[in-house]
Amino acid sequence: MNSIYNFYARVKESIKKNQIPIVDELSEDWCQKMNGWNGKLLRVDLTRKKAVVQEYDPNLALFFLGGRGFAVKILWDELEPGIDALSPRNKLIFAAGPLTAFPLPSSGKIVVAAKSPLTGGYGDGNIGTLASVQLRRAGYDAVVLEGKAKKPTVLWINDNETEILDGRDLWGLDAFKTEKKIKEERGRTVGVLGIGPAGENMVKIALVVSQEGRAGGRPGMGAVMGSKNLKAVAIKGSQTIPAADLDELKALGTNAYKTIVKKDNYDFWRRQGTMVAVEWTQENSVLPTYNFKEGVFDQAKAIGGFTMEKLKVTQRDCGNTTCGNVCYNCYETCPAFTCNTICGNVIEDAEKKFSELDYENVALLGSNIGLGDLKKVAVLNRLADEYGIDTISLGNAIGFAMEASEKKLIDYKIEWGDFDEARVLVEDVAYRRGTGSLLAEGVRSAAEKLDGNASKWAMHVKGLEISGYDCHTAPGMALAFGTSSIGAHHKDAWVISWEVSVGRETYSQAKVDKVIELQRIRGGMFESLVTCRLPWIELAFDLEWYSRFLKAATGMDITLRDLFTIADRIYSLIRAFWVREYKTGWSSAQDYPPARWFDEPLTKGPYRGATLDRDKYDTMLQGYYQRRGWDRRGIPTEATLKRLGLEAVVQELRQYVQLMP
Ligand code: PTT
Ligand code: SF4
């Protein structure tokens, strides 16, 4: 296996071959300072209780930028193929990027990644959290967690000091209480990434939680953390992140914040955030309903953005600053970063507790399980955050259980819209009790254990449950789910709104191209920068800003084209990771959405009778592979890997599958 530290010579060779357009030659000065990056990662072996600071090769930054790019490169280089994702041999990575934590809009994000116990492939997620800012200020770009602690543990990173603390008093607590306790001891501004009981119990749909309403790592990243006996990572830093031109960065930040507030949609966005999507998906018949049987829900209004507005008590951002002021002036002293696109809308739920709502949470825990009461949906949402379970997979799992109960495939009675039983089931999933234990493995696994063709209506791709868009009438979005890098998630290519605007019936090459374009921007660029993509998506904040930010941060001219090359490299490496794990079991069938959308027509709404067409989907999928330079099985060809500077991947992948030239 190749270590990232042997990368240097090959990179120099690649520069000669013009594979890294962002630099003509490696400037020694830049290599020394690495402006934009800290140039260091923290590696913690939990088994041996050892932490080492490693200076990484600057070429890692040039080739993979940060975040998801760093994560997949490290996992590819260092993971033994075929390991159990819940064994100490898996590695859990938290990685920031070259824009994270600078005084720029929405820059407080971090990627959490590992081999996924849910899908068996590459897994990651993106969390907005002060921990991202603190990590960069502590002098690191990433933390790599290896091994397994003997007993429950908390990792404490305080600038250059790292301690592995006894976490036994926190084990068993929910994610909110865990963070609260850590902050009581270590201060309000400490960044905390924690798990709830679901992560502790290695529930495969468990994720990592921060700040009572920020969560990420859908494909079981919380379970990986739990498997390492790691309850939380707490971080505090006080250093200045090296920037090529900090004054210019601040000036750009000032302008960027001002530009954002002047956007036409700004006020409405601040009112509704992502909740605006409930009405839109209902109008366009793509709101997941009754386990994705339908695209319309007769109680959609009751769980929509306008209902939420009436119940809203406050709004929160990832920085947890709540002031909403453009406060980059105190950048050097204040650990908070500011997002003025604030999206977290908080309501009081049916149990009189606060719950932060987003579209996905409401669609999956509302219409998808037939529940039309927003305050009750909010209870399930808050419980998911407390226990540390992904709301999307949870809503799929509950919907699956309701359908299985209706079909009498399980010995458990739960009807559509039954809040009380759903509430019990959430807890049962977190503690792996009864039917909850079946669902804790994800719907792919649950379906395999049931009769009655359950696999046809277990709504997932590659084992990851589908997020909030029904695709009976959206072939482009179905392709986006099919080819997403972590399984069925909209994060890489939310093509649905464009698709609805250009005509949803077609299976055109234009849709293929759009999916790839969005994967480059969202799945490649934003996930490796690492910053929030919402200002761009929701408020049309121009992408060119990010090249300007990068210039000020790194001193390099990194164009959007360069970023897309990096994105393609990341995508092909992620694909190689999946193929190496699945070996000869890999085929284009892995890139198919569930059979339900092809075989069971909608029975309600304006598109009644509609289904996806298998042959046409297949043509689109093959068109997608061609554009990416992958073969008919969806495996990158030798030529593609070499073009992207991934020669070493060719050698290794050949051990597992035959590669096309
Ligand atoms: C993300 C997925 C989403 S996408 C949502 S709501 W969304 C769900 N949120 C969950 C949650 O909350 N609690 C919980 N227990 N499970 C949840 N599962 C679901 O996870 C989130 C925002 C949102 S709100 C979105 S779209 C954007 N996502 C971004 C992204 O992926 N990358 C990026 N560079 N910027 C993004 N900005 C926006 O961030 P996953 P967050 Mg999330 C509580 O985790 O695994 O990536 O899946 O990060 O800080 O909560 O912000 O309508
Ligand atoms: Fe966080 Fe929302 Fe701001 Fe993005 S838009 S940084 S998710 S508060």
Side-chain angles (χ1 to χ4, degrees), residues 140-350:
Y140 307 111
D141 296 323
V143 186
V144 181
L145 298 153
E146 311 175 340
K148 178 182 177 177
K150 282 201 182 68
K151 54 183 188 216
T153 289
V154 171
L155 177 65
W156 168 234
I157 302 168
N158 186 8
D159 278 327
N160 303 326
E161 285 165 25
T162 303
E163 275 181 85
I164 298 172
L165 306 171
D166 191 336
R168 279 177 295 184
D169 59 331
L170 299 176
W171 205 253
L173 293 186
D174 71 41
F176 293 8
K177 290 193 182 111
T178 301
E179 178 156 350
K180 194 163 174 263
K181 263 196 112 178
I182 290 174
K183 284 186 164 163
E184 276 164 11
E185 277 175 33
R186 307 206 169 248
R188 188 182 63 83
T189 56
V190 164
V192 181
L193 298 152
I195 54 169
E200 293 175 10
N201 295 324
M202 289 179 263
V203 167
K204 290 186 181 165
I205 56 174
L207 39 55
V208 179
V209 181
S210 192
Q211 295 167 191
E212 302 193 1
R214 298 282 152 191
R218 291 196 53 214
M221 301 301 101
V224 176
M225 196 156 157
S227 75
K228 298 192 174 304
N229 265 333
L230 182 62
K231 180 67 177 170
V233 179
I235 316 172
K236 192 161 166 59
S238 62
Q239 298 165 40
T240 305
I241 308 159
D245 189 343
L246 188 57
D247 289 339
E248 172 65 5
L249 258 184
K250 286 183 187 173
L252 278 171
T254 312
N255 280 338
Y257 283 115
K258 284 183 185 156
T259 304
I260 286 171
V261 290
K262 283 191 207 135
K263 292 286 182 184
D264 289 347
N265 197 27
Y266 185 77
D267 291 338
F268 191 62
W269 171 261
R270 288 290 298 265
R271 277 169 52 195
Q272 294 210 355
T274 58
M275 285 293 290
V276 65
V278 178
E279 272 84 2
W280 184 87
T281 47
Q282 168 79 356
E283 270 165 32
N284 290 289
S285 193
V286 294
L287 177 67
T289 304
Y290 302 122
N291 196 25
F292 289 88
K293 270 195 245 180
E294 308 292 347
V296 289
F297 181 47
D298 48 18
Q299 298 165 72
K301 218 170 153 195
I303 58 166
F306 291 98
T307 303
M308 181 280 295
E309 274 196 69
K310 287 185 203 135
L311 301 172
K312 183 162 150 178
V313 289
T314 187
Q315 203 167 36
R316 290 188 200 139
D317 72 331
C318 295
N320 220 6
T321 54
T322 60
C323 65
N325 292 325
V326 180
C327 63
Y328 48 86
N329 286 332
C330 41
Y331 169 65
E332 274 90 355
T333 49
C334 173
F337 76 97
T338 304
C339 167
N340 65 345
T341 312
I342 306 181
C343 67
N345 290 305
V346 181
I347 71 165
E348 194 181 73
D349 67 28

Side-chain angles (χ1 to χ4, degrees), residues 336-565:
F337 76 97
T338 304
C339 167
N340 65 345
T341 312
I342 306 181
C343 67
N345 290 305
V346 181
I347 71 165
E348 194 181 73
D349 67 28
E351 294 174 357
K352 302 214 172 305
K353 293 190 174 162
F354 290 148
S355 177
E356 187 175 321
L357 296 176
D358 267 306
Y359 166 72
E360 300 293 330
N361 311 334
V362 171
L364 272 302
L365 293 170
S367 51
N368 199 51
I369 65 167
L371 182 59
D373 179 330
L374 194 60
K375 283 187 158 229
K376 289 181 177 171
V377 173
V379 170
L380 303 181
N381 174 61
R382 191 232 327 138
L383 288 174
D385 282 347
E386 287 174 351
Y387 292 133
I389 312 174
D390 170 36
T391 51
I392 295 174
S393 290
L394 183 65
N396 270 276
I398 297 172
F400 177 86
M402 287 172 170
E403 185 160 352
S405 171
E406 187 177 57
K407 291 186 157 92
K408 303 201 180 347
L409 295 175
I410 51 172
D411 189 16
Y412 183 74
K413 189 99 185 91
I414 180 166
E415 289 178 2
W416 296 110
D418 182 342
F419 166 72
D420 293 330
E421 275 306 321
R423 197 192 185 293
V424 171
L425 202 46
V426 175
E427 205 170 297
D428 286 351
V429 169
Y431 292 98
R432 286 183 169 273
R433 294 181 198 130
T435 302
S437 177
L438 178 80
L439 301 174
E441 294 290 300
V443 299
R444 176 171 71 180
S445 161
E448 283 162 5
K449 290 178 187 134
L450 301 185
D451 294 331
N453 288 330
S455 292
K456 294 195 169 181
W457 43 268
M459 302 305 286
H460 70 91
V461 176
K462 302 183 188 70
L464 183 67
E465 288 75 12
I466 294 194
S467 51
Y469 308 92
D470 184 85
C471 291
H472 278 90
T473 58
M477 192 63 219
L479 182 71
F481 280 137
T483 60
S484 151
S485 51
I486 56 168
H489 200 3
H490 61 286
K491 69 186 287 166
D492 285 7
W494 187 70
V495 73
I496 187 100
S497 69
W498 175 86
E499 180 169 36
V500 165
S501 73
V502 297
R504 53 207 295 177
E505 299 81 10
T506 57
Y507 291 69
S508 61
Q509 188 62 35
K511 288 194 178 175
V512 171
D513 291 344
K514 194 69 181 178
V515 167
I516 292 178
E517 179 194 326
L518 292 177
Q519 288 176 340
R520 283 181 175 144
I521 298 170
R522 298 167 59 114
M525 178 180 140
F526 280 109
E527 293 315 299
S528 51
L529 279 176
V530 174
T531 65
C532 178
R533 57 172 195 246
L534 290 181
W536 164 68
I537 302 168
E538 304 294 344
L539 301 175
F541 181 63
D542 202 291
L543 286 183
E544 289 295 341
W545 279 96
Y546 294 92
S547 288
R548 295 165 68 195
F549 295 157
L550 276 172
K551 172 78 181 173
T554 68
M556 288 191 279
D557 288 306
I558 304 176
T559 64
L560 287 179
R561 214 174 127 247
D562 301 330
L563 291 171
F564 296 166
T565 304

